[in-house]
Amino acid sequence: MFPPQESATQASMFGDFATETLFLFDGEVMIDSTATARALLASSPIKGPAWGQLMAFLSARFENLEAQLQRVPHDGVVELTTKQGAKPLILRAEHVGGLTRFTLIDASKDGHTAAVDALAQRAMLDELTLLRDTVATAPMLLWRENAAGDVVWANGPYLLQACAFQDEGKELGWPLPRLFNRVAAKSGKDQRQSLSVLGQPTLWFDISSKPEGDGDLMFAIPADAAVQAEGALRDFMQTLTKTFAQLPIGLAIFDRQRKLQLFNPALMDLTHLPPDFLSLRPSLLAVLDAMRDRKMLPEPKDYRDWRRQIVDIEKAAASGLYEETWSLPDGQTYRVTGRPHPNGALALLIEDISSEMLRTRRYRADLELGQSVIDHMDEAIAVFSQSGQLVMSNNSYAALWGHDPADTLGDTTVRMLSAHWRMQSAPSAIWAEVEEYVATVGDRDSWRGEVRLLDGRMIGCRFAPLAGGSTLASFRSLTPAEQGQTRLAEGAGLRRA
C-alpha cells in the first residue's frame, strides 16, 4: 500500500517552472508538483496515491525503471530515455537535499520541457488508441444511434457487415446503413435478430441496448452457436417425443419442483388422465390424486397413510429404489418404476402387465395341476432337466424312497439321488447307467430295469427321454408274477444302442 497522497494547501515551490513537468517526492509521498505534472496524474486511469500513478505511467515507457531509480541516491542524477518504438521522452531523476525530483522532458520539442497539453494529451491519446484498438477488434458489433434512429458511429465489425450489404463498387455513405430493426432499442429488452446476405449463411445476433445521452449504444453479440445448439436440442426433443409416442409404457418426467414436464400418449391411455390436465404441468401429488379419483391406484384403507406412502414413493424414486406392482380395482395390474434424472428430476414409468400376470397365473395353475396329477399316480416319479437337476417329483416317490426332495428342487441332482438310491437298494450297476443316460445329449431310447430294495421288495425302473433333453424316471413295486419279466441285459442293449 502506498501512503496517501498529501494535498498542497499553499503555493508551489515550482512557481518559476509552471510550464515544466516536475514532481518532488519525500520517499513515496509527493510533497509538490507543477500544474502540468498534476494534469498528467489526473489523466491517469490508475486510482490511488501519486507515487503509484507516476510509476504506472513511467514503467510502461522506461525499461528497468525500479533498478535505475535505485541508483539515484548514489549517483545523484539519473537520466532515462523511453523504450524503442515509444514516443521520445526523457526522465531526469535527481536527489536533492534528501528529496527526489523527477523531470519529464519531451524529446520531440528540441530539448524543451513538455508543456501541460503535450504530456497530458499524449497520455490521453495513448489510452484512446488502446480503447480504439480494443473496440475495433471486439468480437461483436457496436454502434451508436441518435434520437432519430440514425447510425452515427460504428466499430470495425459493424462496418464490415455493412459493406457486405452494399452494392459492388459503392462506398458507405452518411449516416451509416442500418443492419437491424430498432426493436431492441425501443423495447429496452434483448432481442435476437438475423442477417442474411445472398450466397452466405445466415448470421444470428443477440442485440441489447444502453441509453446514452440523446441516443442509444447498441451491442450485437454473435449467437450462431446458441442458435445451432437450440436447433439441435429442439431436433433431439422432437426425436425423443416421437420415440416416446411409440412406447407402450407410460412415461412422466417431473422436474426438481416435481412439476410435470414431459409425458407421452401411453400415459394418458394407462391413467385415463385428460391431456388438458397434463398440459397444465401439475405436480406429482396432483397427478396421483387425479389417478386415485379415477380408480387407477390401489385403493388405500387409510387416506392419511396413503398420502404418506406417496411421499415415500417420491423419496424412493429419487434414489432409484422405487419399483412396485399395483393391482387396480378393475383387475388390471401395473408395474410402476421410479428413476432419478439429472438436476433432481424424477421419471415415473407405468407399464400394463395384466396379460403378463395372467400368463404367469395360468402357468402357475398349470404347474399346480400337473403336480396334482402326478401326486395321484401310483408310480414314483422323478423328472430331471437336461443338466441333471431335479425339477419335479410326486408323493409316491417320497413314500417309496423315504425322502421328499420337493423342498430342494433345483439344488438336487441325479448324482445326489443315485447315491441315495444305492444306499436304499442292493448293489446294482443300473444307477451308474442312469447317471450316464441323464447326461447323454441327443437321441435316446427308453429302457427298463429292476432293483431290489433293502427291505426285499423288487422295484421296476423305467427311464424315458422327454422334450428339451429332460429325463423321466419312474419306479413301482413289482408283484411276484411281474418279477423277472424285465431283462436287464436287453435293457442294457437298448441303452448302448
Side-chain angles (χ1 to χ4, degrees), residues 308-335:
R308 181 185 57 78
Q309 291 178 4
I310 294 302
V311 176
D312 294 341
I313 289 176
E314 179 181 349
K315 293 180 180 178
S319 61
L321 301 176
Y322 183 75
E323 185 169 345
E324 191 172 331
T325 300
W326 290 356
S327 297
L328 305 184
D330 61 356
Q332 288 182 293
T333 304
Y334 287 173
R335 179 188 293 123

PDB file of all heavy atoms in Angstrom, residues 308-335:
ATOM      1  N   ARG A 308     -48.873 -40.517   3.000  1.00  0.00           N
ATOM      2  CA  ARG A 308     -47.507 -40.735   3.469  1.00  0.00           C
ATOM      3  C   ARG A 308     -46.760 -41.673   2.523  1.00  0.00           C
ATOM      4  O   ARG A 308     -45.570 -41.478   2.248  1.00  0.00           O
ATOM      5  CB  ARG A 308     -47.540 -41.327   4.883  1.00  0.00           C
ATOM      6  CG  ARG A 308     -46.165 -41.574   5.477  1.00  0.00           C
ATOM      7  CD  ARG A 308     -46.268 -42.278   6.816  1.00  0.00           C
ATOM      8  NE  ARG A 308     -47.000 -43.531   6.710  1.00  0.00           N
ATOM      9  CZ  ARG A 308     -46.466 -44.650   6.234  1.00  0.00           C
ATOM     10  NH1 ARG A 308     -45.200 -44.675   5.824  1.00  0.00           N
ATOM     11  NH2 ARG A 308     -47.180 -45.757   6.161  1.00  0.00           N
ATOM     12  N   GLN A 309     -47.478 -42.661   2.000  1.00  0.00           N
ATOM     13  CA  GLN A 309     -46.845 -43.575   1.048  1.00  0.00           C
ATOM     14  C   GLN A 309     -46.462 -42.847  -0.239  1.00  0.00           C
ATOM     15  O   GLN A 309     -45.454 -43.175  -0.863  1.00  0.00           O
ATOM     16  CB  GLN A 309     -47.778 -44.741   0.741  1.00  0.00           C
ATOM     17  CG  GLN A 309     -47.983 -45.695   1.906  1.00  0.00           C
ATOM     18  CD  GLN A 309     -48.952 -46.809   1.566  1.00  0.00           C
ATOM     19  OE1 GLN A 309     -49.418 -46.904   0.438  1.00  0.00           O
ATOM     20  NE2 GLN A 309     -49.258 -47.638   2.551  1.00  0.00           N
ATOM     21  N   ILE A 310     -47.253 -41.862  -0.641  1.00  0.00           N
ATOM     22  CA  ILE A 310     -46.926 -41.101  -1.843  1.00  0.00           C
ATOM     23  C   ILE A 310     -45.613 -40.353  -1.649  1.00  0.00           C
ATOM     24  O   ILE A 310     -44.766 -40.296  -2.543  1.00  0.00           O
ATOM     25  CB  ILE A 310     -48.072 -40.123  -2.184  1.00  0.00           C
ATOM     26  CG1 ILE A 310     -49.324 -40.904  -2.578  1.00  0.00           C
ATOM     27  CG2 ILE A 310     -47.658 -39.189  -3.307  1.00  0.00           C
ATOM     28  CD1 ILE A 310     -49.125 -41.826  -3.749  1.00  0.00           C
ATOM     29  N   VAL A 311     -45.430 -39.756  -0.470  1.00  0.00           N
ATOM     30  CA  VAL A 311     -44.165 -39.083  -0.174  1.00  0.00           C
ATOM     31  C   VAL A 311     -43.016 -40.081  -0.198  1.00  0.00           C
ATOM     32  O   VAL A 311     -41.920 -39.791  -0.698  1.00  0.00           O
ATOM     33  CB  VAL A 311     -44.250 -38.360   1.181  1.00  0.00           C
ATOM     34  CG1 VAL A 311     -42.906 -37.728   1.539  1.00  0.00           C
ATOM     35  CG2 VAL A 311     -45.341 -37.297   1.150  1.00  0.00           C
ATOM     36  N   ASP A 312     -43.264 -41.279   0.324  1.00  0.00           N
ATOM     37  CA  ASP A 312     -42.226 -42.316   0.281  1.00  0.00           C
ATOM     38  C   ASP A 312     -41.912 -42.721  -1.148  1.00  0.00           C
ATOM     39  O   ASP A 312     -40.756 -43.032  -1.476  1.00  0.00           O
ATOM     40  CB  ASP A 312     -42.677 -43.543   1.088  1.00  0.00           C
ATOM     41  CG  ASP A 312     -42.791 -43.244   2.581  1.00  0.00           C
ATOM     42  OD1 ASP A 312     -42.188 -42.244   3.023  1.00  0.00           O
ATOM     43  OD2 ASP A 312     -43.508 -43.991   3.285  1.00  0.00           O
ATOM     44  N   ILE A 313     -42.950 -42.736  -2.002  1.00  0.00           N
ATOM     45  CA  ILE A 313     -42.717 -43.049  -3.424  1.00  0.00           C
ATOM     46  C   ILE A 313     -41.743 -42.054  -4.023  1.00  0.00           C
ATOM     47  O   ILE A 313     -40.793 -42.403  -4.731  1.00  0.00           O
ATOM     48  CB  ILE A 313     -44.054 -43.047  -4.195  1.00  0.00           C
ATOM     49  CG1 ILE A 313     -44.902 -44.264  -3.810  1.00  0.00           C
ATOM     50  CG2 ILE A 313     -43.810 -43.031  -5.701  1.00  0.00           C
ATOM     51  CD1 ILE A 313     -46.270 -44.264  -4.451  1.00  0.00           C
ATOM     52  N   GLU A 314     -41.971 -40.755  -3.743  1.00  0.00           N
ATOM     53  CA  GLU A 314     -41.109 -39.717  -4.298  1.00  0.00           C
ATOM     54  C   GLU A 314     -39.673 -39.876  -3.813  1.00  0.00           C
ATOM     55  O   GLU A 314     -38.727 -39.795  -4.586  1.00  0.00           O
ATOM     56  CB  GLU A 314     -41.657 -38.344  -3.913  1.00  0.00           C
ATOM     57  CG  GLU A 314     -40.806 -37.191  -4.418  1.00  0.00           C
ATOM     58  CD  GLU A 314     -41.363 -35.852  -3.993  1.00  0.00           C
ATOM     59  OE1 GLU A 314     -42.499 -35.820  -3.489  1.00  0.00           O
ATOM     60  OE2 GLU A 314     -40.662 -34.852  -4.156  1.00  0.00           O
ATOM     61  N   LYS A 315     -39.502 -40.125  -2.517  1.00  0.00           N
ATOM     62  CA  LYS A 315     -38.157 -40.279  -1.976  1.00  0.00           C
ATOM     63  C   LYS A 315     -37.475 -41.516  -2.536  1.00  0.00           C
ATOM     64  O   LYS A 315     -36.296 -41.480  -2.899  1.00  0.00           O
ATOM     65  CB  LYS A 315     -38.225 -40.366  -0.448  1.00  0.00           C
ATOM     66  CG  LYS A 315     -38.680 -39.076   0.231  1.00  0.00           C
ATOM     67  CD  LYS A 315     -38.712 -39.250   1.738  1.00  0.00           C
ATOM     68  CE  LYS A 315     -39.158 -37.965   2.427  1.00  0.00           C
ATOM     69  NZ  LYS A 315     -39.231 -38.125   3.898  1.00  0.00           N
ATOM     70  N   ALA A 316     -38.215 -42.623  -2.615  1.00  0.00           N
ATOM     71  CA  ALA A 316     -37.612 -43.857  -3.125  1.00  0.00           C
ATOM     72  C   ALA A 316     -37.279 -43.733  -4.603  1.00  0.00           C
ATOM     73  O   ALA A 316     -36.237 -44.202  -5.056  1.00  0.00           O
ATOM     74  CB  ALA A 316     -38.562 -45.038  -2.889  1.00  0.00           C
ATOM     75  N   ALA A 317     -38.171 -43.079  -5.374  1.00  0.00           N
ATOM     76  CA  ALA A 317     -37.907 -42.918  -6.810  1.00  0.00           C
ATOM     77  C   ALA A 317     -36.727 -41.989  -7.050  1.00  0.00           C
ATOM     78  O   ALA A 317     -35.929 -42.198  -7.973  1.00  0.00           O
ATOM     79  CB  ALA A 317     -39.160 -42.375  -7.507  1.00  0.00           C
ATOM     80  N   ALA A 318     -36.593 -40.952  -6.215  1.00  0.00           N
ATOM     81  CA  ALA A 318     -35.474 -40.023  -6.376  1.00  0.00           C
ATOM     82  C   ALA A 318     -34.140 -40.709  -6.137  1.00  0.00           C
ATOM     83  O   ALA A 318     -33.124 -40.311  -6.697  1.00  0.00           O
ATOM     84  CB  ALA A 318     -35.643 -38.835  -5.432  1.00  0.00           C
ATOM     85  N   SER A 319     -34.129 -41.746  -5.317  1.00  0.00           N
ATOM     86  CA  SER A 319     -32.898 -42.502  -5.071  1.00  0.00           C
ATOM     87  C   SER A 319     -32.795 -43.735  -5.952  1.00  0.00           C
ATOM     88  O   SER A 319     -31.849 -44.502  -5.821  1.00  0.00           O
ATOM     89  CB  SER A 319     -32.830 -42.913  -3.593  1.00  0.00           C
ATOM     90  OG  SER A 319     -33.934 -43.748  -3.257  1.00  0.00           O
ATOM     91  N   GLY A 320     -33.756 -43.922  -6.862  1.00  0.00           N
ATOM     92  CA  GLY A 320     -33.706 -45.044  -7.800  1.00  0.00           C
ATOM     93  C   GLY A 320     -34.089 -46.373  -7.210  1.00  0.00           C
ATOM     94  O   GLY A 320     -33.686 -47.412  -7.721  1.00  0.00           O
ATOM     95  N   LEU A 321     -34.878 -46.371  -6.108  1.00  0.00           N
ATOM     96  CA  LEU A 321     -35.193 -47.615  -5.411  1.00  0.00           C
ATOM     97  C   LEU A 321     -36.658 -48.017  -5.532  1.00  0.00           C
ATOM     98  O   LEU A 321     -37.055 -49.036  -4.974  1.00  0.00           O
ATOM     99  CB  LEU A 321     -34.837 -47.473  -3.923  1.00  0.00           C
ATOM    100  CG  LEU A 321     -33.373 -47.146  -3.614  1.00  0.00           C
ATOM    101  CD1 LEU A 321     -33.180 -46.930  -2.118  1.00  0.00           C
ATOM    102  CD2 LEU A 321     -32.462 -48.239  -4.117  1.00  0.00           C
ATOM    103  N   TYR A 322     -37.472 -47.211  -6.226  1.00  0.00           N
ATOM    104  CA  TYR A 322     -38.907 -47.498  -6.225  1.00  0.00           C
ATOM    105  C   TYR A 322     -39.286 -48.388  -7.406  1.00  0.00           C
ATOM    106  O   TYR A 322     -39.031 -48.057  -8.568  1.00  0.00           O
ATOM    107  CB  TYR A 322     -39.710 -46.196  -6.290  1.00  0.00           C
ATOM    108  CG  TYR A 322     -41.199 -46.448  -6.224  1.00  0.00           C
ATOM    109  CD1 TYR A 322     -41.814 -46.786  -5.024  1.00  0.00           C
ATOM    110  CD2 TYR A 322     -41.982 -46.388  -7.364  1.00  0.00           C
ATOM    111  CE1 TYR A 322     -43.170 -47.041  -4.961  1.00  0.00           C
ATOM    112  CE2 TYR A 322     -43.344 -46.637  -7.310  1.00  0.00           C
ATOM    113  CZ  TYR A 322     -43.929 -46.965  -6.108  1.00  0.00           C
ATOM    114  OH  TYR A 322     -45.268 -47.216  -6.045  1.00  0.00           O
ATOM    115  N   GLU A 323     -39.886 -49.516  -7.109  1.00  0.00           N
ATOM    116  CA  GLU A 323     -40.457 -50.404  -8.131  1.00  0.00           C
ATOM    117  C   GLU A 323     -41.533 -51.227  -7.435  1.00  0.00           C
ATOM    118  O   GLU A 323     -41.257 -51.935  -6.463  1.00  0.00           O
ATOM    119  CB  GLU A 323     -39.389 -51.299  -8.742  1.00  0.00           C
ATOM    120  CG  GLU A 323     -39.937 -52.142  -9.888  1.00  0.00           C
ATOM    121  CD  GLU A 323     -38.837 -52.836 -10.672  1.00  0.00           C
ATOM    122  OE1 GLU A 323     -37.665 -52.450 -10.514  1.00  0.00           O
ATOM    123  OE2 GLU A 323     -39.159 -53.756 -11.437  1.00  0.00           O
ATOM    124  N   GLU A 324     -42.755 -51.117  -7.928  1.00  0.00           N
ATOM    125  CA  GLU A 324     -43.875 -51.743  -7.241  1.00  0.00           C
ATOM    126  C   GLU A 324     -44.908 -52.192  -8.263  1.00  0.00           C
ATOM    127  O   GLU A 324     -45.008 -51.644  -9.369  1.00  0.00           O
ATOM    128  CB  GLU A 324     -44.499 -50.736  -6.262  1.00  0.00           C
ATOM    129  CG  GLU A 324     -45.500 -51.361  -5.295  1.00  0.00           C
ATOM    130  CD  GLU A 324     -45.938 -50.378  -4.231  1.00  0.00           C
ATOM    131  OE1 GLU A 324     -45.147 -49.483  -3.880  1.00  0.00           O
ATOM    132  OE2 GLU A 324     -47.090 -50.487  -3.760  1.00  0.00           O
ATOM    133  N   THR A 325     -45.675 -53.191  -7.881  1.00  0.00           N
ATOM    134  CA  THR A 325     -46.769 -53.692  -8.715  1.00  0.00           C
ATOM    135  C   THR A 325     -48.079 -53.237  -8.106  1.00  0.00           C
ATOM    136  O   THR A 325     -48.338 -53.494  -6.927  1.00  0.00           O
ATOM    137  CB  THR A 325     -46.719 -55.225  -8.810  1.00  0.00           C
ATOM    138  OG1 THR A 325     -45.469 -55.628  -9.386  1.00  0.00           O
ATOM    139  CG2 THR A 325     -47.851 -55.731  -9.682  1.00  0.00           C
ATOM    140  N   TRP A 326     -48.883 -52.542  -8.911  1.00  0.00           N
ATOM    141  CA  TRP A 326     -50.176 -52.032  -8.462  1.00  0.00           C
ATOM    142  C   TRP A 326     -51.281 -52.941  -8.993  1.00  0.00           C
ATOM    143  O   TRP A 326     -51.399 -53.122 -10.214  1.00  0.00           O
ATOM    144  CB  TRP A 326     -50.422 -50.613  -8.941  1.00  0.00           C
ATOM    145  CG  TRP A 326     -49.552 -49.581  -8.270  1.00  0.00           C
ATOM    146  CD1 TRP A 326     -48.667 -49.792  -7.259  1.00  0.00           C
ATOM    147  CD2 TRP A 326     -49.503 -48.187  -8.578  1.00  0.00           C
ATOM    148  NE1 TRP A 326     -48.064 -48.628  -6.902  1.00  0.00           N
ATOM    149  CE2 TRP A 326     -48.557 -47.611  -7.683  1.00  0.00           C
ATOM    150  CE3 TRP A 326     -50.154 -47.371  -9.488  1.00  0.00           C
ATOM    151  CZ2 TRP A 326     -48.253 -46.257  -7.709  1.00  0.00           C
ATOM    152  CZ3 TRP A 326     -49.853 -46.016  -9.511  1.00  0.00           C
ATOM    153  CH2 TRP A 326     -48.923 -45.465  -8.624  1.00  0.00           C
ATOM    154  N   SER A 327     -52.087 -53.485  -8.121  1.00  0.00           N
ATOM    155  CA  SER A 327     -53.274 -54.252  -8.515  1.00  0.00           C
ATOM    156  C   SER A 327     -54.484 -53.328  -8.391  1.00  0.00           C
ATOM    157  O   SER A 327     -54.869 -52.944  -7.277  1.00  0.00           O
ATOM    158  CB  SER A 327     -53.433 -55.491  -7.620  1.00  0.00           C
ATOM    159  OG  SER A 327     -52.329 -56.367  -7.770  1.00  0.00           O
ATOM    160  N   LEU A 328     -55.068 -52.968  -9.520  1.00  0.00           N
ATOM    161  CA  LEU A 328     -56.150 -51.983  -9.541  1.00  0.00           C
ATOM    162  C   LEU A 328     -57.492 -52.664  -9.264  1.00  0.00           C
ATOM    163  O   LEU A 328     -57.652 -53.880  -9.446  1.00  0.00           O
ATOM    164  CB  LEU A 328     -56.180 -51.275 -10.893  1.00  0.00           C
ATOM    165  CG  LEU A 328     -54.857 -50.609 -11.317  1.00  0.00           C
ATOM    166  CD1 LEU A 328     -55.048 -49.852 -12.626  1.00  0.00           C
ATOM    167  CD2 LEU A 328     -54.345 -49.683 -10.232  1.00  0.00           C
ATOM    168  N   PRO A 329     -58.477 -51.865  -8.840  1.00  0.00           N
ATOM    169  CA  PRO A 329     -59.794 -52.454  -8.528  1.00  0.00           C
ATOM    170  C   PRO A 329     -60.457 -53.144  -9.714  1.00  0.00           C
ATOM    171  O   PRO A 329     -61.248 -54.073  -9.530  1.00  0.00           O
ATOM    172  CB  PRO A 329     -60.610 -51.241  -8.058  1.00  0.00           C
ATOM    173  CG  PRO A 329     -59.592 -50.268  -7.552  1.00  0.00           C
ATOM    174  CD  PRO A 329     -58.403 -50.451  -8.437  1.00  0.00           C
ATOM    175  N   ASP A 330     -60.179 -52.702 -10.962  1.00  0.00           N
ATOM    176  CA  ASP A 330     -60.834 -53.310 -12.124  1.00  0.00           C
ATOM    177  C   ASP A 330     -60.132 -54.568 -12.609  1.00  0.00           C
ATOM    178  O   ASP A 330     -60.488 -55.112 -13.668  1.00  0.00           O
ATOM    179  CB  ASP A 330     -60.929 -52.287 -13.257  1.00  0.00           C
ATOM    180  CG  ASP A 330     -59.560 -51.808 -13.727  1.00  0.00           C
ATOM    181  OD1 ASP A 330     -58.543 -52.218 -13.113  1.00  0.00           O
ATOM    182  OD2 ASP A 330     -59.495 -51.024 -14.693  1.00  0.00           O
ATOM    183  N   GLY A 331     -59.116 -55.029 -11.888  1.00  0.00           N
ATOM    184  CA  GLY A 331     -58.425 -56.261 -12.261  1.00  0.00           C
ATOM    185  C   GLY A 331     -57.143 -56.047 -13.027  1.00  0.00           C
ATOM    186  O   GLY A 331     -56.384 -57.009 -13.232  1.00  0.00           O
ATOM    187  N   GLN A 332     -56.867 -54.819 -13.479  1.00  0.00           N
ATOM    188  CA  GLN A 332     -55.616 -54.558 -14.191  1.00  0.00           C
ATOM    189  C   GLN A 332     -54.442 -54.558 -13.212  1.00  0.00           C
ATOM    190  O   GLN A 332     -54.599 -54.292 -12.014  1.00  0.00           O
ATOM    191  CB  GLN A 332     -55.681 -53.215 -14.915  1.00  0.00           C
ATOM    192  CG  GLN A 332     -56.596 -53.206 -16.134  1.00  0.00           C
ATOM    193  CD  GLN A 332     -56.574 -51.853 -16.811  1.00  0.00           C
ATOM    194  OE1 GLN A 332     -57.040 -50.858 -16.271  1.00  0.00           O
ATOM    195  NE2 GLN A 332     -56.015 -51.815 -18.007  1.00  0.00           N
ATOM    196  N   THR A 333     -53.272 -54.824 -13.760  1.00  0.00           N
ATOM    197  CA  THR A 333     -52.051 -54.838 -12.962  1.00  0.00           C
ATOM    198  C   THR A 333     -51.014 -53.960 -13.644  1.00  0.00           C
ATOM    199  O   THR A 333     -50.721 -54.149 -14.829  1.00  0.00           O
ATOM    200  CB  THR A 333     -51.502 -56.261 -12.807  1.00  0.00           C
ATOM    201  OG1 THR A 333     -52.523 -57.107 -12.250  1.00  0.00           O
ATOM    202  CG2 THR A 333     -50.291 -56.276 -11.878  1.00  0.00           C
ATOM    203  N   TYR A 334     -50.476 -52.985 -12.893  1.00  0.00           N
ATOM    204  CA  TYR A 334     -49.470 -52.062 -13.411  1.00  0.00           C
ATOM    205  C   TYR A 334     -48.154 -52.277 -12.670  1.00  0.00           C
ATOM    206  O   TYR A 334     -48.143 -52.513 -11.460  1.00  0.00           O
ATOM    207  CB  TYR A 334     -49.888 -50.606 -13.227  1.00  0.00           C
ATOM    208  CG  TYR A 334     -50.993 -50.147 -14.165  1.00  0.00           C
ATOM    209  CD1 TYR A 334     -51.572 -48.894 -14.016  1.00  0.00           C
ATOM    210  CD2 TYR A 334     -51.441 -50.953 -15.211  1.00  0.00           C
ATOM    211  CE1 TYR A 334     -52.579 -48.454 -14.853  1.00  0.00           C
ATOM    212  CE2 TYR A 334     -52.446 -50.539 -16.048  1.00  0.00           C
ATOM    213  CZ  TYR A 334     -53.031 -49.297 -15.872  1.00  0.00           C
ATOM    214  OH  TYR A 334     -54.026 -48.888 -16.705  1.00  0.00           O
ATOM    215  N   ARG A 335     -47.071 -52.187 -13.445  1.00  0.00           N
ATOM    216  CA  ARG A 335     -45.742 -52.138 -12.834  1.00  0.00           C
ATOM    217  C   ARG A 335     -45.272 -50.686 -12.891  1.00  0.00           C
ATOM    218  O   ARG A 335     -45.137 -50.108 -13.968  1.00  0.00           O
ATOM    219  CB  ARG A 335     -44.753 -53.039 -13.570  1.00  0.00           C
ATOM    220  CG  ARG A 335     -43.336 -52.975 -12.943  1.00  0.00           C
ATOM    221  CD  ARG A 335     -42.300 -53.712 -13.772  1.00  0.00           C
ATOM    222  NE  ARG A 335     -42.542 -55.146 -13.768  1.00  0.00           N
ATOM    223  CZ  ARG A 335     -42.724 -55.875 -14.853  1.00  0.00           C
ATOM    224  NH1 ARG A 335     -42.736 -55.284 -16.052  1.00  0.00           N
ATOM    225  NH2 ARG A 335     -42.925 -57.184 -14.779  1.00  0.00           N
TER     226      ARG A 335
END
